[in-house]
Structures are given as C-alpha cells and as structure tokens.
Amino acid sequence: MNNQQLQQRKQKVFARGQGNIYPVYVERALNAEVWDVEGRRYIDFGTGIAVCNTGHSHPKVVEAVKDQLDKFSHTCVMVNPYESAVALAEKLVELAPGSSDKKAMFVTTGAEAVENAVKIARAATGRRGVVAFNGGFHGRTNLTMALTGKITPYKHLFGPFTGDIYHVPFPTKLHGQSTEQSLVALNSLFKVDIAVQDVAAIIIEPIQGEGGFYPAPKSLLQALRKLCDEQGIVLIVDEIQTGFGRTGKMFACEEAGIEPDLITMAKGIAGGFPLSAVVGKSALMDAPLPGGLGGTYGGSPVACAAALAVLDLIEKDKLVERAQQIGVQFGEYLNQLQKQFPDLIAEVRISGAMIAIELVTEGNANLPNTALTQQLIAKAPEYGLILLACGFYGNVIRFLPALTIEDDIIAEGMQQFKQVFTDLAD
Ligand code: PMP
C-alpha cells in the first residue's frame, strides 16, 4: 500500500483530532533517517517530537529491550517490582540537579507526569492553586490542558477545565516581554485572583517547547526559585521536551543554576518507549499516601530497560556535549540563512540540539509568518525532510535532531532546508 492509500484508510477510522502532520507512512527508521512505505528516504529533524535522542533503533536500546522481552514484559511495578525500575530511579535521582535528597515515581506519558507533579505539590502543601505561563504546553488531559497556555488547538471545545489554574505572561525578548513584567503580573495575580498562601505550585518549562522554543531567562527562573522558597510554593520544572541532553545540559534548568522542587520527565527518557517520571525532593515526593500515585503501566519493565540503555549511551557517547556541537553546526547554516532573508527570519534560537527559527514578514517580530511556516512543513517531504513547527502563532520551525546524528546528515539536511526555504521565499 502506498502513502496515499494508507492515509485514506486512516482517515476513515481515526478521529480527525488525532491528525498527522505528514501523510508519510514509516516502513523503517535508523538513527536520523526514516524510510517510508514507498521506499523514499527522509532526514528526521523531529525525532518523534524530541523522543529519540539516541536515534531510531539504536542497537544498544534494541538489545536491552529484546533481552527484557525474553524475560517478562509486565508485572506492574505496584504488584511485583523489578530491579530495572529501582536502578532507573537511582539513576534519575543522581542525575537530577541539586543536592537535596530525592525520590522518583514513574508513569507513562508526559501529561501524566505533570498531573502527578501537581498532585504531589497539592498533597505536600495542602494548597490548591497552580500558576503556569502563557504559551506553555503541559499536555492534553483535563488538568494539563488547563495548565497549557494556548487555546487552539489544545483547549478549544474541551472545557470546563479544572479550577484554580492561573496564567502569567512568559518573558520573550523578541516580543518585548521582560522578566520584570512577568514578575509584576505574578504579584498582581496574588492580589487579584489568588492569595500567595493558597498557591501549591508554579510550573514552568525552562525552554518553552510547543510554545516556540523561547528560553526562560535565568533571571526569571532564579526569581521563581526565591519566591517559591519564601512562600512555601513548590517549583515544578517541566523538562519533558528539554531533558536528557537535548539542550546541551542533561536538564535545561541547570543553565540557571537552580534546583527545582519537582521535575517532570518523559519523551527522551526511554528512546520511544512510553515512560515518564516525576523526580523531586523526598519530603515532597513522600506526601501522597501509598497507592495515591502510579498506574498499571507506570515504569514498565520494557521501558525501564530502554531508559537504562539510553542513559548509558548519553553518558558513554558524551551526547550532552554532542548536543552543544549540533547546535553550533545548525547555527552556521541558520545564521547564514537569516542574513540572506532578514525580513523573513526574525530570530535563530539555539539551545544545544533544541533549535528554532521564527518566521515573520517585513522583518517585524509582531507579524508572524504562519503561512510560510505551513508551506515549509508541507513541502519538506519533497525535499527529503521531516520538520516540525511550533510557536504561539505557529510561525516557528523547530529542529530536534537525534543527538547521535551524523555530521554529513546534518550537512545534507541543512542544504535541503536551505533549498526548500529559498524556493518558497522567492
Ligand atoms: N510537557 C511538555 C513540555 C511537552 O512538550 C509535552 C509534549 N509535547 C507534554 C508535557 C505532554 O507530554 P505527552 O504528550 O507525553 O503527554
């Protein structure tokens, strides 16, 4: 069956809400390359939305998963646990930034990790409010939709939402929003909507993912850390998209030198196997009673085996450092492209291998060029590329290559991107 036939079959039986960006059906994938059912090859700059940090089908991950499958695939960690889950928790506790004693818990998706972090924060503080940021993305479940700071497509048609969720502006230099203004908005929230003593948690992405790859200024993260310490609020850092070496640090919040109270992790943790975690200060993590956290599949033995292999590779193959080099390599091409098209590219944002360009018209940051972004995404497969968009106005192209991507594949992919961009811009 070809791509078109498969897409027709899918459209008959899949709810349109679970759409697909590309009508390109995958046959196989290896490291940074994907082949479709028609034998066409693509360079994958999306890694399944920041998941396959060690590339597709890394032999070490495949071997670990096969070994586990030969032993057993599920017992439920809440019934009969197994060593790999304990070893993974030990590893994550050790890797999480800061010196406090920490514990971990496992669930399956990013949204679930965020839900559980909020549950833990509420149980630990006895408070109800949660503050999140405009443009942030935290998931598609009821609570995480409420936390997400973007209406379409995530929240439209889906209310009512859980209460006691509040939003404040996220600082973005390009759009003239400063850290000071965000902090003023936060203080005003405490006067207008909720007393600071009723706030259980503040949740923030250290670099907004779906929102457009805007890094949170260090000054904001440090001010939030101070505020949370002073007011007994739990600081939750959502590292679901930024974690596991992606940004040239193991966790992006290390850049600001802060220790979060709770960190949510998913995506890159297990190379494509459904696993997510909350890792945080032991006193907070132990607030919920036994049985209050978890789920049937949380910490699946297959996913834990994959995660241990992924973490081993990140360490042994120095993938955190490699992410930094990848950022430099992409920067050479993208900065040059910006020089060539200053009216169309307002900014090149690079945090290791979390890379984006923001597209505008007339060189004006306030005139998002969503149309060009959509055309680039639509045309990418013809140029042998898998690309993703993001951004509050859908006008950001993001590059999330595998941290194991080969130099010549970066060069080839960037040449192709330059070509598609030039063809559409002219
Ligand atoms: N938080 C962040 C920062 C994310 O990027 C995502 C997914 N894009 C989520 C939460 C939700 O993760 P999931 O789709 O696995 O539920």
Side-chain angles (χ1 to χ4, degrees):
M1 282 219 153
N2 65 26
N3 287 316
Q4 201 192 350
Q5 289 164 329
L6 285 166
Q7 184 67 0
Q8 274 165 5
R9 262 174 71 190
K10 176 174 180 265
Q11 277 167 346
K12 278 205 187 113
V13 291
F14 255 71
R16 67 175 179 160
Q18 194 172 20
N20 50 307
I21 300 166
Y22 294 112
V24 168
Y25 284 73
V26 179
E27 176 85 23
R28 67 191 173 90
L30 192 62
N31 201 19
E33 292 163 278
V34 169
W35 287 263
D36 73 7
V37 288
E38 296 174 18
R40 275 187 67 105
R41 164 200 177 254
Y42 306 85
I43 292 176
D44 185 5
F45 282 158
T47 46
I49 323 187
V51 170
C52 300
N53 288 8
T54 52
H56 293 287
S57 308
H58 193 291
K60 289 268 165 52
V61 179
V62 172
E63 188 189 321
V65 166
K66 282 186 175 164
D67 281 355
Q68 180 57 46
L69 279 175
D70 284 340
K71 292 177 191 149
F72 63 97
S73 58
H74 177 79
T75 57
C76 185
V77 86
M78 301 170 83
V79 180
N80 295 112
Y82 26 86
E83 188 179 349
S84 59
V86 180
L88 182 59
E90 286 168 350
K91 195 81 210 166
L92 294 178
V93 157
E94 176 198 316
L95 290 173
S99 55
S100 309
D101 272 353
K102 295 193 184 63
K103 288 192 170 187
M105 61 149 296
F106 296 119
V107 266
T108 316
T109 64
E112 260 187 297
V114 173
E115 290 256 353
N116 279 278
V118 171
K119 280 169 65 173
I120 293 165
R122 284 182 169 154
T125 58
R127 303 174 180 186
R128 57 192 166 80
V130 185
V131 180
F133 284 84
N134 294 354
F137 183 85
H138 299 289
R140 290 182 172 83
T141 58
N142 191 269
L143 171 62
T144 58
M145 260 194 298
L147 291 169
T148 290
K150 184 178 173 187
I151 299 289
T152 307
Y154 308 123
K155 300 168 87 153
H156 178 49
L157 304 176
F158 298 129
F161 301 111
T162 165
D164 277 311
I165 307 291
Y166 306 88
H167 287 96
V168 288
F170 186 87
T172 49
K173 208 167 156 210
L174 184 66
H175 297 285
Q177 177 72 34
S178 68
T179 296
E180 290 68 31
Q181 286 168 323
S182 294
L183 293 172
V184 166
L186 191 57
N187 279 316
S188 134
L189 182 82
F190 299 146
K191 297 274 177 289
V192 177
D193 287 316
I194 183 166
V196 70
Q197 298 86 342
D198 291 330
V199 176
I202 298 179
I203 182 163
I204 186 164
E205 294 163 90
I207 300 174
Q208 283 196 334
E210 306 304 310
F213 283 26
Y214 298 109
K218 276 186 201 177
S219 56
L220 176 72
L221 291 172
Q222 288 165 357
L224 292 179
R225 181 62 282 170
K226 188 162 172 276
L227 172 80
C228 289
D229 285 341
E230 285 166 4
Q231 300 294 343
I233 299 170
V234 175
L235 180 61
I236 305 173
V237 174
D238 183 344
E239 292 264 9
I240 287 168
Q241 191 153 161
T242 48
F244 301 101
R246 171 58 55 196
T247 66
K249 301 267 180 221
M250 184 54 104
F251 295 103
C253 67
E254 290 168 33
E255 184 72 28
I258 58 151
E259 178 175 3
D261 295 312
L262 301 176
I263 306 181
T264 52
M265 309 175 181
K267 289 189 185 277
I269 192 174
F273 290 84
L275 183 73
S276 62
V278 183
V279 177
K281 295 181 180 167
S282 300
L284 302 173
M285 294 293 292
D286 276 339
L289 301 176
L293 303 175
T296 308
Y297 300 109
S300 136
V302 182
C304 285
L308 286 169
V310 164
L311 290 175
D312 204 44
L313 283 167
I314 292 177
E315 198 178 313
K316 294 211 172 103
D317 292 354
K318 300 198 171 17
L319 296 182
V320 176
E321 290 83 347
R322 174 69 183 138
Q324 290 168 11
Q325 288 165 8
I326 290 172
V328 173
Q329 284 169 272
F330 272 73
E332 281 164 17
Y333 292 96
L334 296 173
N335 289 324
Q336 151 92 52
L337 198 64
Q338 189 192 23
K339 278 205 190 97
Q340 214 177 323
F341 297 100
D343 287 350
L344 293 176
I345 303 179
E347 196 167 61
V348 177
R349 291 190 282 276
I350 297 179
S351 304
M354 191 165 178
I355 300 152
I357 56 172
E358 181 156 338
L359 303 182
V360 297
T361 45
E362 298 164 29
N364 183 342
N366 296 320
L367 297 176
N369 200 337
T370 312
L372 176 60
T373 312
Q374 283 171 351
Q375 286 164 16
L376 281 166
I377 297 292
K379 281 273 176 206
E382 287 174 34
Y383 292 77
L385 295 178
I386 304 290
L387 289 178
L388 298 175
C390 63
F392 200 67
Y393 298 102
N395 66 323
V396 177
I397 297 280
R398 56 175 152 171
F399 303 89
L400 290 160
L403 309 183
T404 47
I405 188 170
E406 302 85 346
D407 288 342
D408 57 330
I409 302 280
I410 297 181
E412 186 190 339
M414 277 288 106
Q415 279 309 332
Q416 288 302 97
F417 182 69
K418 198 174 153 195
Q419 194 60 54
V420 62
F421 196 96
T422 312
D423 289 351
L424 288 171
D426 285 345

